[in-house]
């Protein structure tokens, strides 16, 4: 905004998108937030007088556990997606150009089928008599055996940390379908393309001669991958995290179809309050809570990055000051 | 002294292309050794095999008596300075340089001392906490060299390290490289297509062409006594005179060159009458004068009348294209005196061109395609478009 002309042309050019964001994002969000300060009418409307009735209703002890479950599952899904995407994106970026296009196309291919249909297909695949369930059971049995082999104090520690449950395995209770396992598995399946793509596009720009340089200087491949490749594609990883974490938090279809009653997430609760209970203010309050739980990690990331940058600059200044007398004016 | 680094019958193919064809050579400890050749001659492939990035199809590589052919890059104490520097963009200069030291699990104190010492050597202490993208090309270059040298490898490989720098900086870095080599005493292997760089730095040069080493010798020997027409034409510039030896007596022989006449040449290899040879005469060895030279000490032979067709003034010297019969010959005339006081030789002057019989070098190994590497006179301008 150095001169008026620049300001005007810039202002004019950005006005449509500003208007769009204001009309369809900012104002609706504010309306949603304002609903939370009203009660609801029996016929599904928003009551006229201001009240904190809705916020008091949020004190229901179910909600913290639902929010905690939602966050936990979203983090799990994000971690799995990133973990799977990194080697995948690395491999695609190292392929020759023609093969790269084919594989990138193959990753996008599932989008040609309806999301709901794909999620529904998982119901069949995860059927208690299916082979995936059989695999899962043997995995649990192996875990149980491993747990039995451990010394008592390790068993107690694991149980204490909530990482293991003692006692014999009940196959009837250990079904994948209608459980958190199914929700995480199918969420990872659904969101994986969204995390591969940003990481891949960052990896594609990565200069692989840096890996050679690292090997040349004595690093092994894994060290080079960790210390050179991952920091260089950091931007891609950050956008992949956001691309997976945000939809995972708002996830609604997958827990609805595969989570049963054991894995109700905040998205399902919002649906329940808005459509089944016809309590719009209550749904709005839950949505506000959800938005906050998304914005907080984002704000933290931004703050952390800004601090990192400031710290680097300060470090550089100090060194310059140490070596060039009189530079610190 | 046996060689420190040995290539033994090394061959590398990429599909139908043989990049390196049965190369054997030995490099001495502490030597500044250059691999010189046009692009695609296999010099970079040879270097990459030494670095461990390519595996030879056959042959072995020995370093300090040990077979390193099958070792991976991180298992050999051979470091590379890459053409694009390959500095790690997410690390500071300090961390870039400390990379190899951290891997060798040295105590922190020692790492700090070593990094600081080498930062001092390349005069970059005040830039230690900058990132590579904040540095200029020459600075990046110095950091790349420091990073590769800091843990004192057995051999340092330099892959066209100066290609991305401008002329002045290149000349400066050349001197600095020479200085660094003197300071650290590590074997340097330098890959380049620039003969000037190779000549000014190297103890020895291997001239490569089509996957083979054509000649391996000291720079002056390669320049003055090229073994093939390729070496003669690729290193510097030259004039080729083809002919048949018609007389040979003592140290000299007479070559009958069609369209020019008889040429006297030093016959160091005792070639016999009847043999076809090519004589390579460097442009700076050819003198041109307006008056016929006085015959003395062998001068008086190899004198030919010719006409100046082009004059290219270069400050240090002037390059002349002269027509002698139906052939174009290039000659350099150095200006060791104040030029403006002298009667200049200019376009269409009738001149005498001559050279000492000792100054031509006979080449038996001649290929017509190499003659294309020799500079040719600029074409007469075609009709100017749009005039």
């Amino acid at each position: 905004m150095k001169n008026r002309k620049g300001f005007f042309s810039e202002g004019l050019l950005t006005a449509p998108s500003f208007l769009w964001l204001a009309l369809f994002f900012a104002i609706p969000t504010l309306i949603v937030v304002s609903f939370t300060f009203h009660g609801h009418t029996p016929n599904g409307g928003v009551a006229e007088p201001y009240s904190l009735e809705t916020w008091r209703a949020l004190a229901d002890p179910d909600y913290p556990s639902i929010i905690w479950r939602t966050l936990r599952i979203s983090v799990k899904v994000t971690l799995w997606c990133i973990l799977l995407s990194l080697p995948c994106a690395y491999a695609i970026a190292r392929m020759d150009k023609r093969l790269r296009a084919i594989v990138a196309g193959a990753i996008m291919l599932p989008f040609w089928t309806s999301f709901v249909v794909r999620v529904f297909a998982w119901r069949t695949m995860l059927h208690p008599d299916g082979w995936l369930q059989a695999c899962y059971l043997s995995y649990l049995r192996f875990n149980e055996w491993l747990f039995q082999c451990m010394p008592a104090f390790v068993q107690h520690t694991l149980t204490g940390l909530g990482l293991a449950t003692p006692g014999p395995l009940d196959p009837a209770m250990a079904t994948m379908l209608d459980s958190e396992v199914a929700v995480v598995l199918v969420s990872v399946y659904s969101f994986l393309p969204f995390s591969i793509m940003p990481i891949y596009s960052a990896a594609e720009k990565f200069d692989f001669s840096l890996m050679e340089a690292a090997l040349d200087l004595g690093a092994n491949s894994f060290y080079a991958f960790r210390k050179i490749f991952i920091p260089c594609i950091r931007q891609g990883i950050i956008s992949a995290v956001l691309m997976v974490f945000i939809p995972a938090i708002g996830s609604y279809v997958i827990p609805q179809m595969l989570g049963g009653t054991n894995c109700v997430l905040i998205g399902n609760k919002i649906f329940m309050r808005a459509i089944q209970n016809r309590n719009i203010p209550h749904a709005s309050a839950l949505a506000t809570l959800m938005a906050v739980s998304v914005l907080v990690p984002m704000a933290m990331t931004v703050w952390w990055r800004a601090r990192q940058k400031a710290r680097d600059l300060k470090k550089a200044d100090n060194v310059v000051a140490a070596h060039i007398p009189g530079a610190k004016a | 002294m046996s060689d420190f680094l040995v290539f033994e019958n090394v061959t590398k193919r990429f599909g139908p292309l043989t990049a390196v064809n049965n190369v054997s050579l030995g490099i001495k400890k502490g030597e500044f050794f250059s691999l010189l050749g046009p692009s695609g001659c296999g010099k970079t492939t040879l270097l990459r095999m030494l670095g461990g990035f390519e595996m030879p199809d056959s042959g072995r590589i020995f370093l300090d008596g040990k077979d390193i052919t099958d070792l991976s890059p991180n298992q050999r104490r051979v470091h590379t300075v890459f053409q694009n520097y390959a500095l790690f963009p997410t690390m500071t200069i300090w961390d870039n340089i400390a990379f190899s030291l951290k891997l060798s699990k040295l105590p922190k104190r020692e790492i700090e001392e070593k990094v600081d010492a080498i930062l001092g050597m390349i005069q970059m202490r005040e830039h230690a906490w900058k990132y590579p993208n904040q540095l200029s090309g020459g600075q990046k270059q110095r950091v790349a060299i420091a990073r590769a040298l800091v843990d004192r490898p057995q051999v340092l490989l330099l892959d066209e390290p100066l290609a991305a720098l401008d002329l002045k900086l290149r000349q400066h870095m050349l001197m600095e490289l020479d200085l660094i080599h003197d300071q650290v005493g590590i074997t340097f292997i330098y890959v380049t297509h620039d003969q000037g760089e190779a000549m000014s730095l190297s103890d020895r040069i291997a001239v490569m062409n089509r996957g083979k080493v054509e000649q391996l010798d000291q720079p002056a020997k390669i320049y003055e006594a090229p073994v093939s027409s390729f070496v003669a034409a690729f290193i510097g510039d030259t004039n080729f005179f083809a002919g048949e030896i018609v007389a040979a007596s003592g140290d000299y022989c007479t070559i009958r060159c069609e369209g020019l006449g008889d040429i006297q040449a030093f016959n160091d290899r005792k070639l016999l009458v009847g043999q076809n040879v090519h004589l390579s005469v460097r442009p700076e060895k050819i003198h041109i004068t307006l008056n016929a030279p006085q015959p003395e000490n062998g001068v008086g032979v190899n004198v030919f009348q010719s006409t100046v067709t082009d004059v290219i003034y270069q400050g240090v010297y002037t390059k002349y294209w002269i027509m002698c019969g139906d052939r174009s010959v290039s000659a350099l005339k150095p200006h060791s005196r104040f030029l403006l006081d002298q009667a200049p030789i200019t376009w269409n002057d009738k001149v005498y061109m001559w050279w000492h019989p000792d100054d031509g070098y006979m080449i038996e190994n001649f290929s017509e395609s190499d003659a294309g590497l020799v500079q040719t006179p600029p074409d007469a301008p075609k009709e100017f478009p749009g005039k």
Side-chain angles (χ1 to χ4, degrees):
Chain A
M1 266 171 267
K2 279 190 182 111
N3 56 52
R4 282 182 74 80
K5 201 179 163 198
F7 172 74
F8 271 113
S9 60
E10 217 176 271
L12 276 174
L13 283 172
T14 47
S17 36
F18 263 123
L19 214 65
W20 176 274
L21 275 175
L23 269 177
F24 299 107
F25 177 73
I27 295 173
T29 306
L30 288 175
I31 291 173
V32 167
V33 173
S34 73
F35 278 172
T36 66
F37 297 103
H38 295 271
H40 74 289
T41 59
N43 58 0
V46 179
E48 192 64 42
Y50 286 103
S51 95
L52 290 174
E53 163 201 347
T54 310
W55 285 104
R56 270 198 297 277
L58 284 185
D60 185 334
D62 272 357
Y63 288 132
S65 75
I66 287 174
I67 287 172
W68 167 236
R69 185 189 291 140
T70 308
L71 285 172
R72 191 182 62 220
I73 287 179
S74 305
V75 168
K76 266 191 203 172
V77 169
T78 311
L79 285 180
W80 275 111
C81 278
I82 299 296
L83 221 61
L84 292 172
S85 302
L86 279 173
C88 188
Y90 181 84
I92 301 172
R94 294 229 80 168
M95 286 172 187
D96 77 84
K97 273 226 150 65
R98 222 164 44 90
L99 197 61
R100 221 190 273 177
I102 295 171
V103 173
I107 287 169
M108 305 313 280
L109 204 63
F111 290 109
W112 288 79
T113 315
S114 152
F115 174 62
V116 177
V117 170
R118 278 184 289 136
V119 173
F120 196 77
W122 277 98
R123 276 204 77 84
T124 320
M125 286 167 65
L126 296 172
H127 192 273
D129 294 335
W131 62 274
L132 272 175
Q133 174 67 27
C135 290
Y136 180 61
L137 265 185
S138 15
Y139 162 75
L140 289 182
R141 291 226 165 83
F142 173 73
N143 268 1
E144 196 186 18
W145 171 78
L146 212 62
F147 185 74
Q148 299 300 335
C149 291
M150 284 177 187
F153 79 92
V154 180
Q155 289 183 357
H156 289 311
T157 320
L158 287 175
T159 316
L161 288 169
L163 293 171
T165 21
L169 185 69
D170 178 7
M173 293 300 289
T175 53
M176 288 174 97
L177 201 59
D178 296 332
S179 79
E180 195 175 311
V181 181
V183 174
V184 172
L185 178 68
V186 178
S187 299
V188 170
Y189 155 79
S190 308
F191 298 138
L192 199 56
F194 296 110
S195 72
I196 291 179
M197 278 304 158
I199 294 180
Y200 159 63
S201 73
E204 201 187 18
K205 291 184 209 97
F206 177 71
D207 174 9
F208 282 96
S209 69
L210 295 179
M211 295 294 275
E212 278 189 355
L215 292 188
D216 186 77
L217 292 167
N220 60 37
S221 306
F222 183 61
Y223 187 88
F225 184 83
R226 266 189 319 133
K227 294 282 179 168
I228 309 297
F229 181 69
I230 291 191
C232 282
I233 58 155
R234 199 183 46 218
Q235 285 306 331
I237 295 175
I238 290 172
S239 44
V241 165
L242 295 177
M243 291 287 278
V244 174
F245 188 72
I246 293 171
I249 273 205
S251 177
Y252 148 71
V253 175
I254 296 170
Q256 188 78 15
M257 291 173 78
L258 298 168
T261 48
N262 302 317
C263 192
V264 173
L265 300 190
I266 198 155
N268 307 100
K269 266 287 178 249
I270 293 172
F271 167 78
M272 216 184 281
R273 293 286 172 264
I275 309 294
Q276 288 170 353
N277 304 356
R278 299 175 68 77
N279 188 340
I280 297 291
H282 205 136
S284 304
L286 285 175
T288 308
L289 262 186
M290 195 175 96
V292 168
S293 64
V294 175
L295 285 172
V296 165
M298 270 176 79
M300 267 161 59
T301 316
V302 171
W303 171 79
W304 179 74
R305 286 183 59 77
R307 202 184 65 150
Q308 198 83 353
K309 212 165 188 176
R311 192 185 273 175
D312 283 347
L313 282 176
K314 202 170 173 195
K315 209 171 175 184
D317 278 352
N318 287 342
V319 170
V320 171
H323 282 96
I324 307 170
K328 207 170 187 177
Chain B
M1 189 178 115
S2 70
D3 288 325
F4 183 58
L5 175 66
V6 177
F7 286 90
E8 207 177 85
N9 306 107
V10 172
T11 297
K12 175 74 188 176
R13 293 183 198 89
F14 294 107
L17 182 93
T18 306
V20 172
N21 190 357
N22 199 17
V23 165
S24 297
L25 51 87
I27 295 165
K28 295 186 185 74
K29 191 167 185 159
E31 196 171 19
F32 200 124
F33 190 90
S34 287
L35 292 169
L36 176 62
S39 43
C41 72
K43 57 191 191 303
T44 298
T45 309
L46 204 60
L47 197 78
R48 287 177 63 81
M49 286 195 281
L50 188 51
F53 302 115
E54 308 281 358
M55 291 288 150
D57 292 324
S58 64
R60 313 302 298 169
I61 303 169
F62 298 92
L63 177 61
D64 201 12
K66 283 194 288 284
D67 187 342
I68 60 161
T69 319
D70 300 320
L71 295 182
S72 63
N74 52 357
Q75 289 170 315
R76 10 183 129 185
R77 286 190 49 219
V78 171
H79 292 344
T80 311
V81 176
F82 292 86
Q83 189 173 356
N84 62 351
Y85 320 129
L87 297 180
F88 306 129
T90 53
M91 294 184 190
T92 61
I93 302 313
W94 204 95
D95 288 327
N96 261 285
I97 294 176
F99 190 84
S100 60
L101 296 174
K102 282 180 184 164
L103 280 162
S104 56
K105 305 255 180 340
L106 283 175
K108 209 177 165 211
R109 180 87 220 141
E110 209 171 317
I111 293 179
E112 278 171 10
E113 276 167 16
K114 287 191 173 185
V115 174
D116 192 63
I118 206 144
L119 276 170
M121 189 178 96
I122 59 167
Q123 294 162 25
M124 293 274 295
R125 276 212 180 92
E126 67 272 24
H127 302 295
W129 300 104
K130 286 188 179 169
Y131 285 88
N133 62 3
Q134 293 168 289
L135 300 185
S136 69
Q139 288 172 329
K140 280 184 200 166
Q141 180 64 70
R142 293 217 290 271
V143 174
I145 293 169
R147 185 180 69 174
L149 278 175
V150 71
D151 75 334
R152 302 196 74 81
Q154 291 174 297
V155 181
L156 183 74
L157 311 180
L158 300 113
D159 185 5
E160 309 224 3
L162 308 182
L165 304 178
D166 62 63
L167 181 67
K168 278 276 178 235
L169 206 53
R170 199 151 62 220
Q171 287 167 346
H172 179 74
M173 283 307 297
L174 271 178
M175 292 190 330
E176 220 159 294
L177 259 180
D178 205 20
L179 211 68
I180 290 171
H181 179 247
D182 288 348
Q183 279 176 9
V184 296
I186 288 170
T187 311
F188 278 35
I189 298 180
Y190 190 93
V191 159
T192 183
H193 65 266
D194 185 312
Q195 31 140 335
E197 287 174 16
M199 300 262 240
S200 50
L201 289 171
S202 317
D203 297 319
R204 288 192 304 158
I205 297 175
V207 182
M208 290 189 69
N209 188 29
R210 294 189 194 144
K212 284 197 167 280
V213 174
E214 293 248 345
Q215 189 170 6
L216 195 167
D217 220 324
Q218 291 157 6
K221 289 207 176 140
I222 282 181
Y223 187 76
E224 298 288 354
V227 296
S228 67
S229 56
F230 172 78
V231 179
F234 184 73
I235 314 286
D237 196 18
T238 195
N239 297 286
F240 287 122
F241 299 98
E244 185 192 338
I245 299 181
V246 291
S249 63
D251 283 341
Y252 294 91
C253 65
T254 307
I255 303 166
R256 181 149 298 157
C257 178
E258 213 177 305
L260 194 69
D262 285 356
I263 302 171
Q264 293 277 324
F266 186 64
N267 191 2
D268 58 338
R269 278 152 292 162
K270 303 294 169 218
L271 301 180
L272 299 175
V273 172
Q275 222 171 326
N276 281 308
V277 292
H278 285 77
L279 189 73
S280 155
V281 186
R282 302 271 185 203
E284 74 277 10
K285 305 256 194 308
I286 297 178
H287 304 268
I288 53 170
T289 44
L290 290 166
N291 304 314
Q294 296 303 310
E296 45 157 330
N297 306 333
V299 177
V301 291
N302 299 348
V303 179
F304 304 97
Q305 280 199 298
S306 39
T307 312
V308 174
T309 55
D310 211 343
V311 182
I312 302 158
Y313 177 62
Q314 298 272 8
V316 181
Y317 58 81
T318 301
K319 179 163 192 153
Y320 288 96
W321 285 103
I322 48 185
M323 277 306 268
C324 188
D326 59 351
R327 78 175 62 223
S328 241
V329 176
S330 66
L332 293 186
K333 190 174 171 60
H335 301 311
S336 50
R337 300 296 304 276
F338 192 71
L339 183 65
L340 301 181
D341 292 346
Q342 295 177 326
I345 299 171
T346 180
W347 279 269
N348 299 325
D349 279 356
K350 298 276 179 259
V351 292
Y352 293 90
M353 79 160 185
W354 50 276
W355 69 89
H356 195 283
D358 288 350
D359 290 344
Y361 194 79
M362 284 194 292
I363 288 168
E364 297 149 89
N365 189 356
F366 185 84
S367 150
E368 210 46 62
S369 64
D370 296 330
L373 292 168
V374 174
Q375 277 192 32
T376 49
D379 287 335
K382 306 236 162 46
E383 209 166 305
F384 194 74
K387 190 186 167 185

